[in-house]
Amino acid sequence: MTTTSPGPTAAEARATALLIDFGGVLTAPIGPAFGALAADAGLAPDAALRLLATHEGARTALAEHEVGRLDDQGFEDAFAAAMLEAGGRIEPRGLLARVAAHLDLDEPMIDLVRQARAAGVPVALVSNSLGRDCYARVDLEELFDVSVVSGQVGVRKPSREIYRIACERLGVEPADCVLVDDLEHNLVGAARLGIRGILHRSADESLPRIREALRLPAPTGTR
């Protein structure tokens, strides 16, 4: 009697495509950037992100901005008004640019994307919009096979639809993808399609996990 050995589990199987977030993954963490903005407004360092999560006007403006229904100026006006209501004061114009100025690129993570593409791995940027100049520091066509930005497709993370769009544009199945994101609820949304996730905290922690998932070799000169 012959037996059939089980196939590899999702954790063991090699992923063949990479979906990756931008802010907080390919850049410095977003917390300090918003902390600096709060300090400029005379508020506590955690105030800006707290307002985006709890203030009805700011939260609604962010959601509308991320799906492309509210432009940069509209979001800046609403966010500045929320900070004024909280006791701070900040000039609305250029608010998003000030956030972006603090989001320096994480070069080891950028290099990982280049390594993946050089190895033939399809790579998609999957990012929620945060201003028209959010991606100005990178060459999107050089880094990614496709770029799926929420404001351009009208749906934002963690909706499974944005991940479905990314998979369709790459021509891959969700089960063949790994998503790298710094927010756990975004990974949960992707998991509903069968996309495995890596919660990003730092390049040192994420790089070996991504290489393992994609079966990428260690960079030359490392052991």
Side-chain angles (χ1 to χ4, degrees):
M1 179 173 138
T2 60
T3 58
T4 302
S5 59
T9 66
E12 296 167 340
R14 173 180 178 262
T16 57
L18 173 64
L19 313 182
I20 196 160
D21 183 32
F22 189 75
V25 175
L26 298 181
T27 75
I30 64 170
F34 280 96
L37 189 71
D40 289 345
L43 297 171
D46 66 340
L49 282 178
R50 187 174 68 249
L51 287 169
L52 286 176
T54 63
H55 184 280
E56 185 62 28
R59 185 175 61 186
T60 299
L62 178 63
E64 292 293 289
H65 176 65
E66 287 183 335
V67 296
R69 289 194 292 263
L70 187 65
D71 63 13
D72 287 14
Q73 291 188 354
F75 171 73
E76 289 174 336
D77 287 342
F79 194 18
M83 286 192 277
L84 178 63
E85 187 179 321
R89 185 174 294 276
I90 195 163
E91 169 59 39
R93 293 293 77 79
L95 183 154
L96 285 168
R98 291 199 290 278
V99 172
H102 291 279
L103 294 177
D104 292 333
L105 296 179
D106 189 328
E107 294 297 344
M109 293 298 295
I110 295 287
D111 288 343
L112 182 280
V113 171
R114 291 193 178 102
Q115 181 189 2
R117 286 199 74 191
V121 175
V123 181
L125 172 70
V126 186
S127 176
N128 284 347
S129 304
L130 192 62
R132 60 181 170 269
D133 298 324
C134 181
Y135 314 102
R137 298 187 188 188
V138 298
D139 183 336
L140 296 180
E141 291 187 2
E142 183 238 336
L143 285 179
F144 310 107
D145 293 283
V146 300
S147 295
V148 182
V149 178
S150 65
Q152 296 173 3
V153 298
V155 62
R156 64 178 185 150
K157 297 182 295 184
S159 169
R160 72 188 73 181
E161 181 60 23
I162 195 168
Y163 306 114
R164 184 179 291 111
I165 291 169
C167 292
E168 288 177 352
R169 290 185 178 180
L170 283 180
V172 298
E173 294 297 323
D176 295 326
C177 298
V178 61
L179 169 69
V180 184
D181 202 292
D182 62 328
L183 296 178
E184 188 166 7
H185 65 266
N186 289 338
L187 300 179
V188 171
R192 296 191 183 105
L193 280 183
I195 298 170
R196 75 195 77 176
I198 293 175
L199 182 62
H200 177 78
R201 288 290 176 260
S202 69
D204 285 346
E205 183 179 310
S206 293
L207 290 175
R209 297 180 65 194
I210 299 168
R211 290 194 182 103
E212 180 181 7
L214 296 170
R215 302 295 192 266
L216 294 175
T220 304
T222 65
R223 292 182 180 271

